[in-house]
Amino acid sequence: MDWKELLPLDRGQMERALRGFPEMAERALGLACRIPNGVQGFKNAVVLGMGGSAIAGDLLARFARVPVMTVRDYFLPAWVGPETLLIAISYSGETEETLSAFREGLRRTKRAVALTTGGALAALCEEEGVPWVPIPPGFPPRAALPSLLFPLLACFARFGHLAGDPAVIISSLKKLRDALLPEANPNPAQRLAEKLQGKVPVVYGAGVAVPVAYRWKTQINENAKQPAYWAELPELCHNEIVGYELAGKVFPQGVMIFLRTSFDHPRVAKRVEILKEVLFQRGLPFQEVWGEGPDPLSQALWLLYFGDWVSFYLALLNGVDPTPVALIQELKNRIRGC
Ligand code: PA5
């Protein structure tokens, strides 16, 4: 495969964004100072967001030492109150679900912060005297994940609420980038993308890899414009696997992908080995990708960044520009007119 020939498909410059992921994360660490110490003293947090903005909340929740819930909806759970830190994330600042839940949240707690490039969310913060972190504009929201996630990780670390150190991950992300750039040879992300072409990936993760499995699914949807699904371990051992019985007939393009970390619970690791045997016996294809790094946070972000590259190469193999998300835009336009 001559990847150089496919690169002109990338008219929206997703490769440039992916290439700059580690540096974007590095710069974003510095944005944490925009979240004032005054919000401290919270007992729990909710992250309000949708799509490419919300995933930062899922990742934060896995590593926070206080309960964190991501809310992808117009309204908030009943327990949100004065001891909750409200975090609104919207890259555009225009997402109606996020704005609606944030307005409701500001009536329940004074501890609030927003991360956005501007828009109605920044205007609301100015009006209400809520601090907001100015996120660099010019990217698709999903490609700006480092700018949305790392200020939160660094801020939670500063408050003593984080398991892991976001600063130590940057160098391993840079190393991974060098191994996955279009010109890298051999290139494991390109190899995996080739195996997924014409297939329907079903991405599995456990523990810290759960939000990463979801990110893989959504990145394959949005970048490669194709169906993809996900499920989490060990839960999938209690339902999803029964579908393997007819999968060969009704889901012949399915390919399961196990995202693994060396921090998987030992019983989960055993379950994966059994599942691989079950899939093999039924002739159902699967792949396995192991995260690298000294701690769970590093391995999760390693897997995430690897998956972003896989979805990029899959887009090129599918003959599509990874950046545009026409149907998301169409839906936003149509609902705005209702
Ligand atoms: O990837 C995307 O473009 C979407 O998933 C958006 O992130 C989502 O629609 C929410 O928009 P925003 O991130 O601007 O709040």
Side-chain angles (χ1 to χ4, degrees), residues 49-54 89-95 97-98 140-143 148 219 222 325 328-329 332:
M50 302 301 298
S53 291
I89 309 182
S90 171
Y91 189 72
S92 62
E94 302 292 353
T95 300
E97 298 94 321
T98 310
R142 62 192 183 283
L148 301 171
Q219 286 290 81
E222 291 186 57
V325 283
I328 295 179
Q329 216 39 62
K332 283 185 182 180

Side-chain angles (χ1 to χ4, degrees), residues 34 95 169 174 211:
R34 305 295 284 256
T95 300
I169 300 157
K174 286 181 181 166

